[in-house]
Amino acid sequence: MNFFKFESRVFGDTNFYEDIKKALENKKGGFAVIVVLKNQKDSLNVRDYLEKNGINLENNKEAIYTQNKGLFFLYSGDDRLAFVFSSYLKNGFWTKKSADTKRKGLILDREFLELIKDNYNESNNVPISKDFVVKLWRHFWILNYQLQHLNNFLIPLFAIIIIFSVLGAIIFLSKPNEKYNKFFLKFIPTTVMVGYIFVIYSPLLILKINNIFLFLAVFFLITLITSSLSLKTSQLICSLFGIFSILGQAFLFDNILQLLSTAGYHPSFANRFYGIGNEFFSYLMGFIFILSIVSNMSLRNLFIILFLTTFVLIIPYYGVNFGGFLSIVAGIIIFLLFKTRHKIKMLATLFVFVPLALILILKNSYVYKAFASFDTFVSIAKRKMLMNLSYLFQYPATILVLLAFVILFLIIVQKRFNILPSVEGHKDKFVVFFIIGLFAYLLNDSGTIIIALLMGFLDLGIYYAKMVNEYAIR
């Protein structure tokens, strides 16, 4: 995964971070904000204003130490973000809460232009603590640290995930063999699961472990320790930790991973700065799927968990995933239409559930607006579908991903050839998540990424079922 060409060198100097941090801690008041330079015209106007009225910290970091009032700014390594601190304001520290990003201190370029027209004194500015100013600086630093260092860690990490996924496929296709070391058979899926978790946390991990060899050593140490447990226990731990990593951070840590994680969206190119994005949605579905397989969960309990997940996905700020919400609801409805004997009773329950869910949505939320009128609903769904389908022509490789997903689905559901006997006991769960994945592909503008990630978890489920049923590994 490529971010952007990194040109600025200041983010390679940890002393620079500490120097600015200390300077901010010594300030008695001011206005702090991170500006997303998104629109070309507005961004040029912001840059013009900053360069005419402010002091670029990259060229003169000593300036911020002075007690003189001033405007200080620093561009990100890709020039798409700017950290701005104005010490002209008195009476404490202030920032602006964005109507677009829904976050304090992270605003779009056009919002910043409106702000400077009023000399930073807009009535909707919010007071903040000095600690919050330092926190903004830290977030800005983390985001830029990613631009410089993250690929060096992600490339080996994804390579490990792919290699062990291939090893798992080779073992799966082979006949049961007692010569296989049982620890190694457990080590394979655990490596992949821990790999996914490390991908989610990688931007934060490299701040503490900025050495690729030490990073990989910690990764394999954790994998070895987890693999020493039973296969069921190790997979349960990984899946539960993965679910908490997505849902827990949303509610307990202000969606911080959505802003900073590789599995979220870097603000430099994001349209979403909060909630659960499509990548997080696919990881969430994957971890829930593995949990349902290893715990031998009943379909009823699985549906309860998925229903609760849809509630989370429509909660303003914390969830707000229109495509994910529809994918789960539509996927379950289609499954029940074909699989459940008491179809009418089950569908009636679902159709009662959907309006109840919508009641929880505040009127200013994105999902509420999507359902506000039929025309709006159709317009959003059509835009997402057309955008996703256009990728098939722009990037032909996406056809292979979709084709592989469909072929795996057909192999699971067909009854003529007993190709995957080990998954027979979990067949319905596979079908549910395949249908959800197909709807997610159609209803999300990054649907290809969703089914690619989900397919990795489905393959893990197939591998786990074979280890339990044919190798008697528990």
Side-chain angles (χ1 to χ4, degrees):
M1 181 182 291
N2 293 318
F3 281 98
F4 300 94
K5 181 180 178 182
F6 193 83
E7 296 174 351
S8 177
R9 296 184 178 276
V10 301
F11 301 105
D13 179 6
T14 54
N15 291 329
F16 188 93
Y17 168 75
E18 291 295 337
D19 289 344
I20 303 300
K21 178 184 174 183
K22 289 178 182 176
L24 292 172
E25 289 173 339
N26 290 329
K27 293 292 180 181
K28 297 180 179 179
F31 183 93
V33 72
I34 297 174
V35 184
V36 182
L37 304 174
K38 190 174 181 65
N39 178 275
Q40 185 176 6
K41 182 180 177 181
D42 290 338
S43 294
L44 287 174
N45 289 333
V46 170
R47 292 173 68 91
D48 182 63
Y49 169 81
L50 291 176
E51 289 164 10
K52 285 182 178 178
N53 298 278
I55 300 172
N56 191 337
L57 292 173
E58 183 178 359
N59 301 326
N60 189 0
K61 70 178 180 181
E62 302 299 329
I64 198 171
Y65 278 105
T66 65
Q67 293 303 314
N68 296 328
K69 304 298 181 184
L71 173 70
F72 310 97
F73 70 93
L74 179 66
Y75 294 128
S76 62
D78 59 354
D79 286 338
R80 299 195 182 195
L81 298 175
F83 177 82
V84 179
F85 181 83
S86 172
S87 57
Y88 288 116
L89 293 181
K90 299 179 180 179
N91 302 321
F93 294 92
W94 297 80
T95 192
K96 176 181 173 65
K97 183 173 182 179
S98 169
D100 290 278
T101 72
K102 310 297 183 186
R103 290 181 178 272
K104 290 191 297 184
L106 182 68
I107 66 176
L108 300 187
D109 39 22
R110 59 178 172 78
E111 293 177 304
F112 183 74
L113 291 175
E114 294 171 0
L115 192 67
I116 59 178
K117 288 179 182 177
D118 202 23
N119 199 26
Y120 304 99
N121 289 314
E122 279 196 355
S123 58
N124 61 346
N125 285 352
V126 292
I128 54 175
S129 66
K130 185 183 294 185
D131 288 341
F132 188 86
V133 176
V134 174
K135 177 179 162 184
L136 275 182
W137 170 243
R138 182 172 182 270
H139 285 176
F140 184 76
W141 185 266
I142 293 173
L143 291 168
N144 283 281
Y145 210 69
Q146 289 186 49
L147 296 174
Q148 185 178 19
H149 296 291
L150 193 55
N151 273 355
N152 297 332
F153 295 83
L154 282 181
I155 292 173
L157 200 54
F158 277 115
I160 290 170
I161 292 172
I162 292 170
I163 289 170
F164 277 84
S165 296
V166 172
L167 282 175
I170 293 171
I171 292 174
F172 176 83
L173 295 172
S174 64
K175 294 181 179 180
N177 190 333
E178 293 182 359
K179 293 181 180 179
Y180 283 130
N181 182 281
K182 288 191 175 183
F183 179 82
F184 180 67
L185 294 177
K186 292 189 296 179
F187 185 70
I188 289 175
T190 305
T191 301
V192 176
M193 287 287 278
V194 174
Y196 287 138
I197 293 171
F198 263 60
V199 168
I200 292 174
Y201 284 98
S202 55
L204 302 179
L205 289 172
I206 66 172
L207 291 173
K208 303 295 183 182
I209 315 172
N210 189 18
N211 180 288
I212 184 61
F213 298 107
L214 183 58
F215 180 84
L216 293 178
V218 171
F219 169 77
F220 281 114
L221 178 62
I222 292 174
T223 304
L224 285 168
I225 293 172
T226 310
S227 300
S228 65
L229 305 170
S230 69
L231 180 61
K232 179 178 180 179
T233 302
S234 64
Q235 297 302 293
L236 278 174
I237 290 173
C238 289
S239 56
L240 288 171
F241 186 80
I243 293 169
F244 174 78
S245 297
I246 296 168
L247 299 183
Q249 64 84 32
F251 291 97
L252 301 177
F253 301 103
D254 193 32
N255 270 311
I256 190 63
L257 288 178
Q258 179 62 43
L259 183 65
L260 300 177
S261 173
T262 310
Y265 295 94
H266 195 286
S268 290
F269 54 87
N271 288 315
R272 174 192 287 273
F273 302 89
Y274 55 93
I276 296 174
N278 290 334
E279 285 77 6
F280 268 139
F281 169 74
S282 55
Y283 279 110
L284 181 60
M285 289 296 98
F287 287 127
I288 291 175
F289 168 73
I290 295 298
L291 178 64
S292 71
I293 296 294
V294 300
S295 64
N296 202 24
M297 189 181 295
S298 66
L299 272 179
R300 184 189 65 179
N301 290 339
L302 175 59
F303 287 157
I304 290 173
I305 290 177
L306 289 175
F307 286 157
L308 292 175
T309 303
T310 58
F311 275 108
V312 173
L313 293 176
I314 58 174
I315 294 176
Y317 185 73
Y318 297 105
V320 198
N321 193 311
F322 170 77
F325 167 76
L326 278 185
S327 299
I328 295 176
V329 173
I332 294 176
I333 289 175
I334 295 298
F335 175 83
L336 292 176
L337 277 173
F338 290 96
K339 297 293 293 186
T340 307
R341 293 178 182 177
H342 306 290
K343 296 183 180 70
I344 297 177
K345 185 184 294 185
M346 294 296 295
L347 287 173
T349 303
L350 272 175
F351 283 119
V352 168
F353 161 78
V354 174
L356 285 175
L358 293 178
I359 292 173
L360 297 177
I361 304 171
L362 299 178
K363 290 189 176 182
N364 64 345
S365 75
Y366 171 72
V367 182
Y368 183 91
K369 293 175 182 176
F371 284 93
S373 70
F374 180 76
D375 290 340
T376 303
F377 176 84
V378 171
S379 174
I380 293 174
K382 182 179 178 181
R383 174 175 57 81
K384 288 179 175 287
M385 290 176 67
L386 290 176
M387 184 181 297
N388 202 39
L389 292 174
S390 69
Y391 293 153
L392 295 175
F393 302 97
Q394 295 178 25
Y395 311 103
T398 59
I399 298 176
L400 298 177
V401 175
L402 179 60
L403 189 61
F405 190 79
V406 172
I407 290 174
L408 188 59
F409 175 56
L410 294 176
I411 290 174
I412 293 284
V413 298
Q414 61 83 33
K415 297 179 180 179
R416 186 173 181 180
F417 306 102
N418 195 18
I419 299 175
L420 300 174
S422 57
V423 305
E424 192 63 33
H426 302 288
K427 194 173 189 177
D428 285 345
K429 297 170 193 171
F430 277 90
V431 172
V432 169
F433 281 93
F434 270 115
I435 297 174
I436 290 174
L438 288 172
F439 274 105
Y441 173 80
L442 292 172
L443 297 173
N444 291 280
D445 43 21
S446 54
T448 303
I449 296 174
I450 292 176
I451 61 172
L453 288 170
L454 186 57
M455 192 157 45
F457 286 98
L458 294 171
D459 290 340
L460 277 177
I462 295 172
Y463 178 90
Y464 176 86
K466 180 159 185 171
M467 291 302 103
V468 171
N469 295 327
E470 297 184 26
Y471 286 84
I473 296 178
R474 296 293 186 265

